[in-house]
Amino acid sequence: MRELAPRRDYLSQPEPEFTTAYRADLDQLGPERIAARLRQITQAEGDHRLVMLCFEDLAKPGLWCHRRVFAAWWKDVTGDEVRELSPMDQQGTLI
């Protein structure tokens, strides 16, 4: 979902600046618009399971990613948790 991708102008900023800018973008989109777009995707795909992906290994200390910033924002504005999947070695094979 391109709408949730961070913008290039703050992508390489340190975490505090990134988080402030990204959350401002999410506030501008709003939870209703995001939820509506997610519903469109699930209906088009015929599957209610959605996954946000990135390449950061959050098991390494000090790493962070936009997925977790989004998850914290979503929890703050909707009260709903965004579950983090376990590393592959702990969850088995996904088919």
Side-chain angles (χ1 to χ4, degrees):
M1 184 176 155
R2 287 222 184 272
E3 297 92 336
L4 297 182
R7 289 184 291 127
R8 288 183 189 264
D9 61 318
Y10 59 79
L11 191 58
S12 61
Q13 294 295 314
E15 183 179 4
E17 290 86 351
F18 173 91
T19 297
T20 299
Y22 186 50
R23 287 180 70 109
D25 284 351
L26 295 172
D27 287 337
Q28 187 172 1
L29 280 171
E32 296 85 7
R33 194 158 130 200
I34 293 170
R37 181 69 180 109
L38 294 174
R39 278 192 299 278
Q40 285 177 335
I41 293 168
T42 61
Q43 290 169 355
E45 296 301 320
D47 195 337
H48 69 281
R49 299 170 295 178
L50 298 175
V51 177
M52 289 180 79
L53 300 173
C54 69
F55 298 101
E56 287 75 27
D57 181 355
L58 297 183
K60 294 180 180 177
L63 287 184
W64 55 276
C65 71
H66 77 286
R67 292 179 305 105
R68 297 317 308 156
V69 175
F70 171 80
W73 175 84
W74 189 257
K75 171 83 169 147
D76 290 346
V77 299
T78 69
D80 294 333
E81 289 282 340
V82 176
R83 185 171 59 100
E84 183 74 14
L85 296 177
S86 301
M88 287 301 291
D89 61 312
Q90 294 177 11
Q91 74 187 20
T93 303
L94 295 177
I95 299 175

